[in-house]
Amino acid sequence: VQLVESGGGSVQAGGSLKLSCAASVYSLNRYCMAWFRQAPGKDREGVALMGRSGYSYYPDSVKGRFTISRDSAKNTLNLQMDNLKPEDTAVYYCARGNKAVCRLYQADYDTWGQGTQVTVSS
């Protein structure tokens, strides 16, 4: 069971990045999947959730700027991030949930990728 993120990097404010998370062994469609981020000195926070049916949820901090999607053929989870702001700078993680109900709570996720750095400069 492994999740591997890619696509991080450095971008100026207003720019875009797309993160991808590749899963081995199991189908992402069977699980709640989410993206979290952790900035230096801050708690890890959820930024996007995708449920089994394709339902998506975003907190207000990223709503309208971030889009989560799933490519079933490639078994990958994506996060398109547009109009990036310096406060989006963080290490981004994809995670697989272990609950029947999909929520954006860190404790509901038991499998994590290694993280990918996103840096947004002003």
Side-chain angles (χ1 to χ4, degrees), residues 6-17:
S6 61
S10 297
V11 65
Q12 289 191 327
S16 299
L17 283 173

Side-chain angles (χ1 to χ4, degrees), residues 3 21-23 26-33 52 70-71 75-77 96:
L3 298 172
C21 172
Y26 53 85
S27 171
L28 296 180
N29 295 351
R30 298 172 54 193
Y31 298 91
C32 306
M33 298 296 301
R52 299 173 186 84
R70 190 170 56 202
D71 186 329
N75 204 32
T76 59
L77 183 74
R96 188 194 75 172

Side-chain angles (χ1 to χ4, degrees), residues 22-64:
S24 61
V25 180
Y26 53 85
S27 171
L28 296 180
N29 295 351
R30 298 172 54 193
Y31 298 91
C32 306
M33 298 296 301
W35 287 94
F36 289 77
R37 68 184 180 189
Q38 188 166 21
K42 294 188 177 182
D43 293 335
R44 191 171 296 187
E45 63 171 345
V47 296
L49 159 71
M50 175 158 278
R52 299 173 186 84
S53 65
Y55 164 81
S56 60
Y57 169 82
Y58 310 90
D60 288 344
S61 58
V62 305
K63 191 176 296 182

